[in-house]
Amino acid sequence: MNLLTNLFRGLRSLFGKRRVDRELDEELAAFVEASAADKQRHGMSREAAQRAARVEVGSAGAVKHQVWSSRWESVPDNFFQDIRFALRQLIKSPGFTTIAILSLMLGIGANTAIFTLLNVILLRPLPVQNPKELLLFGDGRASGSTGSIPDGSWRLFSYSFYRDFRAKDVSFSGVAAISSSQFHTKASIAGGAYQTTQVDLVSGSFFNVLGVPAFLGRTIGESDDATAGAAPVAVASYTWFQRHFNGDTAALGKVIRIQSHDYTLVGVARPGFTGISVGQPADLWIPLSMEKEISPGWNGLDNKFFQSLYLIGRLKPGVTAAQASSETNVLFKQIVRSYMGAQPSAQHLDDLAHASVELTPGAHGVSRLRGKFSSPLMILMAIVALVLLIACANIANMLLARGVNRTREVAVRMAVGATRRRIVVQLLTESLLLALLGAAAGMALAWKASALLLHMATPGPEPIPLDVHPDLAVLAYTLGVTVITALLFGMLPAFRATGLEFTPALKDGRGSSSVSTRGALARSLIVGQVALSVLLLVVAGLFVRSLINLASIDTGFDKHNALVFSLDSSTANLPHKTPDEIRSVRLQEQIESRVQTIPGVQADSFAFFTFNQGGWSDQVLFQGVTRTPHNGEDVFFNNVGNGFFSAMGIPLVAGRTFTANDTQTSPKVAVINETMARRFFPDGWAIGKRFAIGEAPDHPGEIEVIGIVKDAKYTALNEGTLMGAYFPCTQQVGFYGNFVVRYAPGANRSEIISRTRAAVAQINPNILLNSVTSLEEQVDGSIATQSLIARLSSFFGIVAVFLACIGIYGLLSYSVARRTSELGIRVALGARSGALLWMILRESLLLLALGLTVGASVAVGSTRILKSLLYELSPLDPMAMAISIAVVAVMTLAAAWLPAHRATRIEPMQALRTE
Amino acid sequence: MVQGTLEMLILKTLALEPMHGYGVSVRIEQVSSGIFRINPGSLLPALSRMERAGHVRSEWRATENNRRAKYYMLTAKGRKALASETEQWDRQAAAIRRILEA
């Protein structure tokens, strides 16, 4: 009751402050009156009594302040007062406010934007039950599948392994399996049009182990995963369900047609859950038992070595990760050993001896983005943190300068009774307000910027489906950064401003005693800024030089004037793994020859891969050539149409390329690259020689080399020299979805695209066109991360230098203004302008030299951590170092020269009058 | 003035009759033979604090000179507070005396 009354009265007096004030005034007046009347009764004259009473009571303001501050509501009231006062102060100096808010917007905005990405890609846990209990088998980096036994750490597992492991293990309350490659396919709902759909194949235990309930209907259960091909059911993600059914519960039971098989929609998963792959949300989940139907030609259900599944397990209560890990590794070796039969080869046993499974925390699921972006994001985070630090130093410097100008105000307020604490709180409120304004602007900037960054980092026809809207974690982070920022730049000036001896301050309006210390502080802040700018520019320079190195790598193919179409045959009902599969090849040949007739098209060809699209590799064995470590490395293969080498612009060095005579029935042929030819036949002629695929091939010498082409990059620009071999599509039948079209320089690109599209539709309307890019975009896309880092670090490096320049300019302008009279006297006494200029510049030159030395040494000491991210460049690259030092030196000198030059123009008479 | 005793003295003063601020200060000064002088800077915050705590309540009345003044009076809660504070004070004073005379 009492608390409530107190609260009520407090609020009443807070909002009715004027009334409370009036009552206090009246009470005080009555006090004075009563006291005076008393004194008069004791014989004083009326005037004398009044005067004495007033002296006795003292300052009415002080009394009221004391009464007011004895109540709790004075705290919020002071706060609002401080904010109002701070706002007035900020409005009074719009120049300072604008610069401060802009630099904070950049600093805080950049931090928030990078953190948003970091949060989405690296930090946010999966929306599942107790994500901390989940353990992933392997580090989640791999995708695709292999057929042999990898030695070292295993990341992917076969369906047989999943079943056998589950039957034996005791550490996990459940284990789930998820196909590592998502199926990018087309689905038709209840006979409607085909639409691109992402399908994840999952074990029957998937939803149960993750603890994801159904929003509607049911999830996939164990019985759905019991018999191959027997459970054509699908569970939809909430987003997909909303997109296609608008929340209509009648969706349950609807038939979805995928790859000419019908699936019944039995449920919708809980909103927000999109599978375990960050950046690759699933639309539909289908039981692993349907693998054969979903992926014709790739069926690993019965193959014990078809390692294509991620395994994720939930620990039993009380079991530690270490216990689970040792049990898993024992079982793992037992099970894999049992797959090798009675007489395993020595090679296999050796591989198994080195094999292991590393259990990693599974709370964040798997993500190819994580592997790709963790170090770039960390580095960017460090860069933007440094930028924010520079911005803080700048604002602190400006506040210090203002602090000196405001010395008189502070002194007066302290003289009339404000405590030091009160003034520090007030000054910090001002800083906090400034930081909050900057943060609000920065948040708005980050909102747009993180989506833009993501787009820059992963260019392509379709954006990566990541939710980059700031969430609670981001808000909390930004708020934290803001408060720390405010303290960083506000603390020092606030203490400095109140730590003055105020008698001299009152006298001359300047905190004379604090000027020299302020100068030292400001100067060290400038040195720090210059040093950080050099560091950032060196880093930026390294990334830019590395990017230039990367971009100037000879790709081996001609990336100009070539389009890459991605075609999807999943709805065309083409035969797979049957003798009739050659129909696919006929279809491709028809498309190739039809497109060839389009005006402007120079060459075209289907291919398994073009560039940076994944790979297929194995060892090969040439007849009569002994295996060496050099030629024993994997050869990277590709299946291509006849026109591939002209379409890609890969020059033929010797022999011939494929022709119409290379058919399914003719002898098997291959075109190999120069590296492969040289490694197998260092001083010989490779053409006509025969080889076979595999460590111990089933059909030795069945493939004949008919031609040698120049090396061309396969998976990445920075890959080493790889051995490569090309096979004709006609002899490796299948539908290869990449279609390269080379057009004449100057031909109308969009016209070629639409005509190609029409040609494909004419030949088979069920072949769908997924996307069109160009070879150049594929190449640029492969180094998008590096280019993003280079661009962002340059941008922030320039921002840093710019901020440092503002700092130097501000410091010198202030010092020139303060020394106006002194400089005037010097001019009057005949000082030459050159000498004056030197006198002023000398100080900043010293600061610059110091800053450069510190910055360069820090750079030398720290850029080594960037080594793995640089391509053919030393982290101590002298060029990057020299350029950054030069840029910082020129910019800061320019910033210093302006006020110094102004000093030489001082009119003696005017200068003397200012005092 | 002994630390922490101001409120007790005010309570005691108001226990006799409702008074305005000046009255309280004069009464304390008289009774203490001029040893304690309480200026409004300490008195009014203390009264405000005690009013918020519910130990006193106030109302505007006419003074003997026919002016409006705020009169403070003890509440039941204030009476209880006075009793307990007095008792505590007595105990402490007795203890201090014993120590001084030991």
Side-chain angles (χ1 to χ4, degrees), chain A residues 301-355:
Chain A
L301 287 187
D302 307 320
N303 184 341
K304 292 184 161 60
F305 287 110
F306 193 86
Q307 294 130 22
S308 67
L309 304 177
Y310 289 122
L311 296 190
I312 192 163
R314 184 180 289 280
L315 278 179
K316 270 189 189 152
V319 179
T320 66
Q323 285 165 339
S325 171
S326 60
E327 191 216 25
T328 301
N329 274 291
V330 170
L331 284 180
F332 163 73
K333 293 215 172 180
Q334 273 175 18
I335 295 171
V336 175
R337 172 68 186 79
S338 75
Y339 292 167
M340 293 174 175
Q343 296 285 324
S345 70
Q347 174 75 48
H348 278 172
L349 284 177
D350 189 45
D351 288 345
L352 183 60
H354 295 117

Side-chain angles (χ1 to χ4, degrees), chain A residues 107 110-111 114 375-390 532 535-541 543 788-800 866:
Chain A
N111 272 277
I114 303 285
S375 36
L377 276 178
M378 295 296 184
I379 286 175
L380 283 178
M381 202 74 229
I383 289 178
V384 292
L386 289 185
V387 170
L388 185 59
L389 211 58
I390 294 180
L532 287 179
L535 177 64
L536 288 184
L537 271 197
V538 168
V539 169
F543 283 132
L788 177 77
I789 300 187
R791 276 196 261 179
L792 285 186
S793 56
S794 313
F795 174 72
F796 289 125
I798 299 289
V799 168
L866 305 178

Side-chain angles (χ1 to χ4, degrees), chain A residues 134-137 162 165-166 172-179 202-210 222 276 288 309-314:
Chain A
L134 295 175
L135 284 179
L136 185 70
F137 288 46
Y162 156 70
F165 182 82
R166 228 161 64 110
F172 297 96
S173 62
V175 178
I178 306 97
S179 176
V202 298
S203 64
S205 56
F206 178 73
F207 288 97
N208 199 6
V209 168
L210 293 182
E222 294 288 355
I276 63 157
L288 264 168
L309 304 177
Y310 289 122
L311 296 190
I312 192 163
R314 184 180 289 280

Side-chain angles (χ1 to χ4, degrees), chain A residues 349-366:
Chain A
L349 284 177
D350 189 45
D351 288 345
L352 183 60
H354 295 117
S356 66
V357 182
E358 187 200 353
L359 296 184
T360 59
H364 303 285
V366 298

Side-chain angles (χ1 to χ4, degrees), chain B:
Chain B
M1 171 100 22
V2 181
Q3 277 275 307
T5 55
L6 176 61
E7 290 194 14
M8 181 176 70
L9 297 185
I10 296 174
L11 283 172
K12 174 71 192 170
T13 311
L14 287 177
L16 308 173
E17 57 177 326
M19 258 180 238
H20 52 66
Y22 180 71
V24 173
S25 111
V26 168
R27 175 69 62 91
I28 290 180
E29 192 177 342
Q30 283 172 351
V31 175
S32 70
S33 316
I35 292 183
F36 296 144
R37 292 178 63 102
I38 308 169
N39 60 12
S42 334
L43 183 68
L44 294 188
L47 281 169
S48 153
R49 214 164 34 234
M50 291 159 72
E51 187 173 14
R52 195 55 74 73
H55 294 172
V56 301
R57 61 189 177 78
S58 65
E59 61 185 49
W60 289 91
R61 288 189 194 169
T63 63
E64 51 271 34
N65 305 343
N66 242 343
R67 274 195 66 113
R68 244 162 65 90
K70 205 175 192 180
Y71 276 76
Y72 293 89
M73 55 215 75
L74 228 54
T75 61
K77 205 171 165 192
R79 220 166 279 283
K80 249 185 267 173
L82 175 61
S84 81
E85 277 183 42
T86 313
E87 191 201 314
Q88 205 181 347
W89 170 257
D90 285 345
R91 260 208 324 266
Q92 286 172 351
I96 291 170
R97 178 144 297 278
R98 275 199 300 279
I99 293 170
L100 290 180
E101 290 172 353

Side-chain angles (χ1 to χ4, degrees), chain A residues 106-123:
Chain A
L106 263 174
I108 298 180
N111 272 277
T112 303
I114 303 285
F115 180 78
T116 305
L117 287 188
L118 198 80
N119 178 43
V120 172
I121 294 176
L122 301 176
L123 301 179

Side-chain angles (χ1 to χ4, degrees), chain A residues 606-655:
Chain A
F606 274 88
F608 199 174
F609 305 112
T610 52
F611 168 71
N612 187 230
Q613 292 183 314
W616 163 41
S617 66
D618 204 343
Q619 294 179 322
V620 306
L621 201 55
F622 268 92
Q623 275 184 325
V625 179
T626 41
R627 208 183 280 275
T628 65
H630 210 41
N631 68 28
E633 281 177 15
D634 273 6
V635 176
F636 285 78
F637 304 129
N638 202 351
N639 299 328
V640 302
N642 293 348
F644 181 74
F645 300 104
S646 354
M648 288 292 286
I650 300 176
L652 182 72
V653 177

